[in-house]
Amino acid sequence: MTVCVAANQLRIGSCVDSLVHSYTPGFPPIVYGDTRSLRLAPHNATYNMMSHHLKRAGIRFDASEGKQPDWFMDNINNFKKPITFAKGDRAESTDVSGNHSYTLLPHHDFNKMVLPNSMSD
């Protein structure tokens, strides 16, 4: 399963073989439960009304040209530093058999998704 999400908070629990592209400026993603083979990556979708929709949803975003604000640069890579609660209340990124509950998507596998302006385009 592949998910692309922008949210103030993201919780990912008990999923298997999934890819999550996320933009969570307020807080790193939370990974919990029996999660296995999760791949985390930066948000990869764009469309004309995205800034407007993020603002209406209360998700902090600054799409201005030039130098980005400090908070933006500090939080744009939150996907790289998830908070993990492994099965059995163990705060680690591996399960009991040594399998990683999550990894970061390698750069060479990243693809940008461009959405149409409308369904008729």
Side-chain angles (χ1 to χ4, degrees), residues 7 11 17 22 27 38 43-44 48 56 62 68-69 83 89 95 100-101 109 111-114 119:
R11 293 178 292 177
D17 296 330
S22 67
F27 205 69
L38 170 66
H43 190 269
N44 69 337
N48 286 344
R56 285 191 63 200
D62 187 352
Q68 296 293 340
I83 297 169
D89 287 330
D95 63 20
H100 287 284
S101 58
D109 289 339
N111 291 309
K112 187 173 181 179
M113 179 187 344
V114 179
M119 296 309 284

Side-chain angles (χ1 to χ4, degrees), residues 4-82:
C4 180
V5 62
N8 284 316
Q9 185 179 55
L10 175 61
R11 293 178 292 177
I12 305 165
S14 299
C15 65
V16 178
D17 296 330
S18 300
L19 170 60
V20 177
H21 292 268
S22 67
Y23 172 68
T24 56
F27 205 69
I30 297 171
V31 178
Y32 65 95
D34 188 17
T35 297
R36 291 172 276 143
S37 301
L38 170 66
R39 293 177 296 154
L40 298 172
H43 190 269
N44 69 337
T46 185
Y47 58 98
N48 286 344
M49 297 292 292
M50 189 170 95
S51 294
H52 174 73
H53 291 154
L54 290 172
K55 186 176 181 179
R56 285 191 63 200
I59 300 169
R60 199 170 181 190
F61 184 76
D62 187 352
S64 61
E65 295 295 322
K67 188 175 188 303
Q68 296 293 340
D70 290 340
W71 69 263
F72 184 80
M73 298 310 293
D74 290 343
N75 295 303
I76 189 71
N77 290 317
N78 274 345
F79 75 93
K80 289 182 177 180
K81 48 189 176 189

